[in-house]
Amino acid sequence: MEIQELQFGHRRVCLYQLVEGPAPLVYSIDYHENGQLLLEACRQVDCSGFNLVTISGLHWNQELSPWPIETVVSKDDKFTGEARGWLTMFTGEVVSQVERLLDAPPSWRLLAGYSMAGLFAVWTAFQTDLFSRILSASGSMWYPGWLEYAREHELAGELAGAYFSVGDKESTSRNAVLQTVGERTRAMADLMASRGIHSKFELNPGNHFKNPPLRVAKGIKWLLQREQQ
């Protein structure tokens, strides 16, 4: 396996080339670089072949939030709504430079994210048609105004699949906003399905922090299998 690393300011991008020729390309955004852990989890659930790009080092709450909101989680919240600026860099500079390193163009692209990155992945589907599959594992569907936005706006292009999951303990938070994450995640999956998109909602055991790589891997497997059906 060949690993190539790029740097875009404070953002670290790693390309794991696993398959020769045209193949699905998974872009996974996470807080820390976790490519090896994610690939191991994918082996555990027996994913079919794909290439992987991991993106880490983001200013998490700032660059992944679609619009500014007031304090929700803690007094140190910085949900400043800078997602559009990061999306412009991501779909422009990052994607073009990464894909020049491949020996063939990807057959399709999947954007995966955990927590705030899961929200960003779904929001991205309303901004660009670059990704034909999206994956939100324990995504921040609780984000104020998000579900209403999704209901009122059209997707930027056709989606071949959308996967959503959440931990069965996540809605037991003492925070009234975070308590809505389970019902709002299910509602997002239902909304996608109502628009004719192959969509899956999965409930995983545990709280928000239990085995993120496995949760993402399960979504990758399901979306890869959609191609084969």
Side-chain angles (χ1 to χ4, degrees), residues 86-113:
W86 159 237
L87 179 64
T88 299
M89 171 177 280
F90 178 30
T91 57
E93 297 178 46
V94 176
V95 169
S96 62
Q97 291 192 42
V98 165
E99 295 187 6
R100 279 200 291 268
L101 301 175
L102 296 169
D103 60 8
S107 53
W108 47 263
R109 301 178 186 89
L110 185 165
L111 180 56

mmCIF file of all heavy atoms in Angstrom, residues 86-113:
data_model
loop_
_atom_site.group_PDB
_atom_site.id
_atom_site.type_symbol
_atom_site.label_atom_id
_atom_site.label_comp_id
_atom_site.label_asym_id
_atom_site.label_seq_id
_atom_site.Cartn_x
_atom_site.Cartn_y
_atom_site.Cartn_z
ATOM 1 N N TRP A 86 -14.088 26.438 3.660
ATOM 2 C CA TRP A 86 -13.364 25.171 3.603
ATOM 3 C C TRP A 86 -13.828 24.340 2.414
ATOM 4 O O TRP A 86 -13.010 23.711 1.734
ATOM 5 C CB TRP A 86 -13.538 24.397 4.911
ATOM 6 C CG TRP A 86 -13.288 22.931 4.804
ATOM 7 C CD1 TRP A 86 -14.152 21.934 5.123
ATOM 8 C CD2 TRP A 86 -12.101 22.278 4.324
ATOM 9 N NE1 TRP A 86 -13.595 20.704 4.875
ATOM 10 C CE2 TRP A 86 -12.338 20.893 4.378
ATOM 11 C CE3 TRP A 86 -10.881 22.734 3.831
ATOM 12 C CZ2 TRP A 86 -11.389 19.955 3.979
ATOM 13 C CZ3 TRP A 86 -9.919 21.796 3.426
ATOM 14 C CH2 TRP A 86 -10.181 20.430 3.506
ATOM 15 N N LEU A 87 -15.127 24.341 2.118
ATOM 16 C CA LEU A 87 -15.628 23.562 0.978
ATOM 17 C C LEU A 87 -15.001 24.043 -0.327
ATOM 18 O O LEU A 87 -14.659 23.236 -1.198
ATOM 19 C CB LEU A 87 -17.148 23.663 0.905
ATOM 20 C CG LEU A 87 -17.798 22.899 -0.259
ATOM 21 C CD1 LEU A 87 -17.577 21.400 -0.125
ATOM 22 C CD2 LEU A 87 -19.294 23.215 -0.339
ATOM 23 N N THR A 88 -14.835 25.350 -0.467
ATOM 24 C CA THR A 88 -14.216 25.894 -1.684
ATOM 25 C C THR A 88 -12.791 25.374 -1.840
ATOM 26 O O THR A 88 -12.391 24.942 -2.932
ATOM 27 C CB THR A 88 -14.220 27.434 -1.632
ATOM 28 O OG1 THR A 88 -15.571 27.895 -1.570
ATOM 29 C CG2 THR A 88 -13.540 28.008 -2.862
ATOM 30 N N MET A 89 -12.018 25.387 -0.773
ATOM 31 C CA MET A 89 -10.663 24.845 -0.838
ATOM 32 C C MET A 89 -10.678 23.338 -1.076
ATOM 33 O O MET A 89 -9.897 22.803 -1.882
ATOM 34 C CB MET A 89 -9.892 25.156 0.442
ATOM 35 C CG MET A 89 -8.543 24.436 0.530
ATOM 36 S SD MET A 89 -7.586 24.858 1.999
ATOM 37 C CE MET A 89 -6.894 26.419 1.472
ATOM 38 N N PHE A 90 -11.562 22.649 -0.383
ATOM 39 C CA PHE A 90 -11.635 21.196 -0.472
ATOM 40 C C PHE A 90 -11.954 20.732 -1.885
ATOM 41 O O PHE A 90 -11.239 19.918 -2.470
ATOM 42 C CB PHE A 90 -12.697 20.715 0.530
ATOM 43 C CG PHE A 90 -12.946 19.229 0.531
ATOM 44 C CD1 PHE A 90 -11.953 18.321 0.219
ATOM 45 C CD2 PHE A 90 -14.198 18.746 0.883
ATOM 46 C CE1 PHE A 90 -12.194 16.951 0.236
ATOM 47 C CE2 PHE A 90 -14.456 17.390 0.907
ATOM 48 C CZ PHE A 90 -13.448 16.492 0.577
ATOM 49 N N THR A 91 -13.037 21.246 -2.458
ATOM 50 C CA THR A 91 -13.465 20.787 -3.785
ATOM 51 C C THR A 91 -12.589 21.340 -4.897
ATOM 52 O O THR A 91 -12.600 20.812 -6.013
ATOM 53 C CB THR A 91 -14.926 21.174 -4.045
ATOM 54 O OG1 THR A 91 -15.081 22.593 -3.908
ATOM 55 C CG2 THR A 91 -15.848 20.476 -3.045
ATOM 56 N N GLY A 92 -11.850 22.388 -4.598
ATOM 57 C CA GLY A 92 -10.950 22.952 -5.595
ATOM 58 C C GLY A 92 -9.545 22.410 -5.463
ATOM 59 O O GLY A 92 -9.155 21.451 -6.132
ATOM 60 N N GLU A 93 -8.793 22.960 -4.549
ATOM 61 C CA GLU A 93 -7.378 22.605 -4.416
ATOM 62 C C GLU A 93 -7.158 21.163 -3.958
ATOM 63 O O GLU A 93 -6.364 20.427 -4.555
ATOM 64 C CB GLU A 93 -6.702 23.546 -3.418
ATOM 65 C CG GLU A 93 -6.672 25.006 -3.829
ATOM 66 C CD GLU A 93 -6.037 25.860 -2.748
ATOM 67 O OE1 GLU A 93 -4.983 25.453 -2.236
ATOM 68 O OE2 GLU A 93 -6.602 26.915 -2.413
ATOM 69 N N VAL A 94 -7.836 20.750 -2.904
ATOM 70 C CA VAL A 94 -7.543 19.436 -2.314
ATOM 71 C C VAL A 94 -7.875 18.314 -3.275
ATOM 72 O O VAL A 94 -7.047 17.445 -3.568
ATOM 73 C CB VAL A 94 -8.301 19.256 -0.974
ATOM 74 C CG1 VAL A 94 -8.069 17.854 -0.424
ATOM 75 C CG2 VAL A 94 -7.852 20.308 0.028
ATOM 76 N N VAL A 95 -9.102 18.289 -3.781
ATOM 77 C CA VAL A 95 -9.521 17.200 -4.668
ATOM 78 C C VAL A 95 -8.644 17.135 -5.910
ATOM 79 O O VAL A 95 -8.201 16.057 -6.317
ATOM 80 C CB VAL A 95 -11.006 17.344 -5.040
ATOM 81 C CG1 VAL A 95 -11.387 16.392 -6.172
ATOM 82 C CG2 VAL A 95 -11.886 17.080 -3.823
ATOM 83 N N SER A 96 -8.367 18.270 -6.525
ATOM 84 C CA SER A 96 -7.582 18.249 -7.764
ATOM 85 C C SER A 96 -6.158 17.756 -7.524
ATOM 86 O O SER A 96 -5.627 16.950 -8.299
ATOM 87 C CB SER A 96 -7.568 19.637 -8.414
ATOM 88 O OG SER A 96 -6.951 20.579 -7.557
ATOM 89 N N GLN A 97 -5.519 18.203 -6.441
ATOM 90 C CA GLN A 97 -4.150 17.782 -6.182
ATOM 91 C C GLN A 97 -4.070 16.312 -5.775
ATOM 92 O O GLN A 97 -3.165 15.593 -6.197
ATOM 93 C CB GLN A 97 -3.527 18.666 -5.109
ATOM 94 C CG GLN A 97 -3.271 20.093 -5.582
ATOM 95 C CD GLN A 97 -2.397 20.877 -4.625
ATOM 96 O OE1 GLN A 97 -1.412 20.369 -4.088
ATOM 97 N NE2 GLN A 97 -2.750 22.140 -4.395
ATOM 98 N N VAL A 98 -5.028 15.868 -4.974
ATOM 99 C CA VAL A 98 -5.035 14.464 -4.565
ATOM 100 C C VAL A 98 -5.247 13.552 -5.762
ATOM 101 O O VAL A 98 -4.529 12.555 -5.953
ATOM 102 C CB VAL A 98 -6.129 14.218 -3.508
ATOM 103 C CG1 VAL A 98 -6.408 12.727 -3.349
ATOM 104 C CG2 VAL A 98 -5.721 14.807 -2.166
ATOM 105 N N GLU A 99 -6.214 13.870 -6.586
ATOM 106 C CA GLU A 99 -6.573 12.949 -7.663
ATOM 107 C C GLU A 99 -5.551 12.937 -8.792
ATOM 108 O O GLU A 99 -5.533 11.997 -9.586
ATOM 109 C CB GLU A 99 -7.989 13.256 -8.141
ATOM 110 C CG GLU A 99 -8.999 12.986 -7.028
ATOM 111 C CD GLU A 99 -10.452 13.092 -7.441
ATOM 112 O OE1 GLU A 99 -10.732 13.269 -8.651
ATOM 113 O OE2 GLU A 99 -11.323 13.001 -6.550
ATOM 114 N N ARG A 100 -4.684 13.939 -8.844
ATOM 115 C CA ARG A 100 -3.567 13.877 -9.794
ATOM 116 C C ARG A 100 -2.568 12.791 -9.403
ATOM 117 O O ARG A 100 -1.774 12.338 -10.240
ATOM 118 C CB ARG A 100 -2.864 15.228 -9.884
ATOM 119 C CG ARG A 100 -3.557 16.231 -10.782
ATOM 120 C CD ARG A 100 -2.618 17.335 -11.231
ATOM 121 N NE ARG A 100 -2.227 18.216 -10.135
ATOM 122 C CZ ARG A 100 -2.868 19.338 -9.814
ATOM 123 N NH1 ARG A 100 -3.921 19.719 -10.496
ATOM 124 N NH2 ARG A 100 -2.446 20.079 -8.809
ATOM 125 N N LEU A 101 -2.596 12.363 -8.149
ATOM 126 C CA LEU A 101 -1.677 11.330 -7.679
ATOM 127 C C LEU A 101 -2.174 9.916 -7.983
ATOM 128 O O LEU A 101 -1.419 8.957 -7.859
ATOM 129 C CB LEU A 101 -1.464 11.473 -6.165
ATOM 130 C CG LEU A 101 -0.893 12.814 -5.690
ATOM 131 C CD1 LEU A 101 -0.853 12.858 -4.176
ATOM 132 C CD2 LEU A 101 0.495 13.048 -6.273
ATOM 133 N N LEU A 102 -3.431 9.783 -8.356
ATOM 134 C CA LEU A 102 -3.990 8.468 -8.681
ATOM 135 C C LEU A 102 -3.546 8.038 -10.074
ATOM 136 O O LEU A 102 -3.295 8.872 -10.948
ATOM 137 C CB LEU A 102 -5.516 8.516 -8.626
ATOM 138 C CG LEU A 102 -6.150 8.802 -7.258
ATOM 139 C CD1 LEU A 102 -7.647 9.085 -7.432
ATOM 140 C CD2 LEU A 102 -5.934 7.628 -6.315
ATOM 141 N N ASP A 103 -3.495 6.732 -10.290
ATOM 142 C CA ASP A 103 -3.127 6.266 -11.633
ATOM 143 C C ASP A 103 -4.309 6.248 -12.588
ATOM 144 O O ASP A 103 -4.144 6.008 -13.793
ATOM 145 C CB ASP A 103 -2.452 4.884 -11.570
ATOM 146 C CG ASP A 103 -3.346 3.819 -10.962
ATOM 147 O OD1 ASP A 103 -4.537 4.089 -10.727
ATOM 148 O OD2 ASP A 103 -2.840 2.705 -10.726
ATOM 149 N N ALA A 104 -5.512 6.493 -12.075
ATOM 150 C CA ALA A 104 -6.711 6.586 -12.920
ATOM 151 C C ALA A 104 -7.746 7.399 -12.157
ATOM 152 O O ALA A 104 -7.752 7.407 -10.922
ATOM 153 C CB ALA A 104 -7.250 5.197 -13.244
ATOM 154 N N PRO A 105 -8.643 8.089 -12.862
ATOM 155 C CA PRO A 105 -9.692 8.843 -12.158
ATOM 156 C C PRO A 105 -10.577 7.904 -11.337
ATOM 157 O O PRO A 105 -10.754 6.733 -11.689
ATOM 158 C CB PRO A 105 -10.488 9.483 -13.308
ATOM 159 C CG PRO A 105 -9.563 9.471 -14.480
ATOM 160 C CD PRO A 105 -8.723 8.244 -14.324
ATOM 161 N N PRO A 106 -11.134 8.386 -10.240
ATOM 162 C CA PRO A 106 -12.012 7.526 -9.446
ATOM 163 C C PRO A 106 -13.286 7.181 -10.202
ATOM 164 O O PRO A 106 -13.775 7.974 -11.013
ATOM 165 C CB PRO A 106 -12.319 8.391 -8.223
ATOM 166 C CG PRO A 106 -12.117 9.794 -8.670
ATOM 167 C CD PRO A 106 -11.011 9.740 -9.676
ATOM 168 N N SER A 107 -13.827 5.997 -9.932
ATOM 169 C CA SER A 107 -15.096 5.621 -10.556
ATOM 170 C C SER A 107 -16.250 6.417 -9.953
ATOM 171 O O SER A 107 -17.221 6.735 -10.632
ATOM 172 C CB SER A 107 -15.341 4.121 -10.413
ATOM 173 O OG SER A 107 -15.230 3.710 -9.067
ATOM 174 N N TRP A 108 -16.156 6.743 -8.684
ATOM 175 C CA TRP A 108 -17.069 7.670 -8.017
ATOM 176 C C TRP A 108 -16.453 8.067 -6.683
ATOM 177 O O TRP A 108 -15.482 7.473 -6.246
ATOM 178 C CB TRP A 108 -18.483 7.108 -7.842
ATOM 179 C CG TRP A 108 -18.618 5.718 -7.297
ATOM 180 C CD1 TRP A 108 -18.783 4.569 -8.029
ATOM 181 C CD2 TRP A 108 -18.640 5.299 -5.916
ATOM 182 N NE1 TRP A 108 -18.901 3.476 -7.194
ATOM 183 C CE2 TRP A 108 -18.827 3.891 -5.904
ATOM 184 C CE3 TRP A 108 -18.533 5.974 -4.701
ATOM 185 C CZ2 TRP A 108 -18.885 3.153 -4.711
ATOM 186 C CZ3 TRP A 108 -18.591 5.248 -3.518
ATOM 187 C CH2 TRP A 108 -18.777 3.854 -3.540
ATOM 188 N N ARG A 109 -17.054 9.099 -6.060
ATOM 189 C CA ARG A 109 -16.515 9.634 -4.807
ATOM 190 C C ARG A 109 -17.547 9.517 -3.695
ATOM 191 O O ARG A 109 -18.743 9.764 -3.905
ATOM 192 C CB ARG A 109 -16.121 11.107 -4.961
ATOM 193 C CG ARG A 109 -15.082 11.377 -6.030
ATOM 194 C CD ARG A 109 -14.818 12.882 -6.129
ATOM 195 N NE ARG A 109 -13.928 13.202 -7.244
ATOM 196 C CZ ARG A 109 -14.344 13.451 -8.467
ATOM 197 N NH1 ARG A 109 -15.653 13.416 -8.751
ATOM 198 N NH2 ARG A 109 -13.482 13.736 -9.422
ATOM 199 N N LEU A 110 -17.056 9.202 -2.513
ATOM 200 C CA LEU A 110 -17.871 9.137 -1.303
ATOM 201 C C LEU A 110 -17.269 10.099 -0.289
ATOM 202 O O LEU A 110 -16.059 10.082 -0.061
ATOM 203 C CB LEU A 110 -17.864 7.706 -0.754
ATOM 204 C CG LEU A 110 -18.736 7.334 0.447
ATOM 205 C CD1 LEU A 110 -18.819 5.816 0.546
ATOM 206 C CD2 LEU A 110 -18.201 7.861 1.780
ATOM 207 N N LEU A 111 -18.102 10.926 0.314
ATOM 208 C CA LEU A 111 -17.636 11.813 1.377
ATOM 209 C C LEU A 111 -18.183 11.312 2.706
ATOM 210 O O LEU A 111 -19.402 11.214 2.892
ATOM 211 C CB LEU A 111 -18.085 13.250 1.132
ATOM 212 C CG LEU A 111 -17.653 14.278 2.193
ATOM 213 C CD1 LEU A 111 -16.138 14.286 2.372
ATOM 214 C CD2 LEU A 111 -18.151 15.674 1.829
ATOM 215 N N ALA A 112 -17.273 10.976 3.625
ATOM 216 C CA ALA A 112 -17.645 10.419 4.921
ATOM 217 C C ALA A 112 -17.170 11.339 6.027
ATOM 218 O O ALA A 112 -16.110 11.956 5.932
ATOM 219 C CB ALA A 112 -17.025 9.026 5.094
ATOM 220 N N GLY A 113 -17.954 11.390 7.098
ATOM 221 C CA GLY A 113 -17.540 12.203 8.234
ATOM 222 C C GLY A 113 -18.149 11.719 9.522
ATOM 223 O O GLY A 113 -19.220 11.092 9.534
#
